[in-house]
């Protein structure tokens, strides 16, 4: 784990789906959560890895539960280690696709299909900001919002 990870806090292993449709990606917004620093923040959908699941199995299960849709898990984009005030996470972020763009929001209050440039206007969960930075670099956006750098 990186030095930023506090060893005294529990570490949760999670997966995130960066679901792409042409030049846009699915961004979802959390509702009220247990922690104010994650409440109402945007994120890429996903969740905890359980038991003996592979990362891909966990991601497919989480997306079925959260969005009631099937995805194709493609390549690993990056792994983010982040320390929140109450817990640490290690988030494995995968580029994904979905044959059907219809979904149901079971755990989120809002969803938007956005380009990386449009993502810069959202209030992101801290752990998801490195994904947004990577996507903006992949399309060479010159003007990256300072709060995402």
């Amino acid at each position: 784990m990186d030095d930023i990870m506090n060893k005294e806090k529990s570490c949760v292993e999670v997966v995130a789906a960066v679901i792409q449709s042409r030049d846009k990606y699915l961004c979802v917004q959390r509702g009220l959560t247990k922690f104010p620093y994650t409440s109402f923040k945007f994120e890429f959908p996903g969740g905890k890895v359980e038991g003996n699941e592979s990362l891909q199995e966990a991601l497919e299960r989480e997306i079925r539960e959260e969005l009631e849709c099937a995805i194709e898990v493609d390549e690993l984009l990056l792994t983010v280690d982040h320390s929140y005030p109450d817990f640490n996470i290690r988030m494995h972020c995968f580029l994904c696709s979905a044959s059907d763009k219809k979904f149901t929001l079971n755990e989120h209050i809002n969803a938007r299909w956005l380009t990386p440039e449009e993502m810069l206007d959202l209030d992101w969960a801290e752990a998801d900001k490195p994904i947004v930075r990577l996507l903006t670099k992949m399309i060479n956006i010159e003007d990256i919002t300072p709060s995402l750098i």
Side-chain angles (χ1 to χ4, degrees), residues 75-89:
E75 65 184 276
L76 178 68
L77 285 177
L78 77 158
T79 297
V80 176
D81 289 323
H82 185 76
S83 182
Y84 282 111
D86 298 286
F87 61 96
N88 297 318
I89 69 166

Side-chain angles (χ1 to χ4, degrees), residues 2-29:
D2 293 337
D3 292 337
I4 64 167
M5 301 290 278
N6 181 330
K7 305 295 188 239
E8 296 174 12
K9 294 183 276 187
S10 65
C11 183
V12 181
E13 187 167 29
V14 300
V15 287
V18 181
I19 304 172
Q20 183 176 13
S21 178
R22 295 191 176 137
D23 66 336
K24 296 191 176 195
Y25 301 86
L26 183 62
C27 309
V28 293
Q29 185 180 22

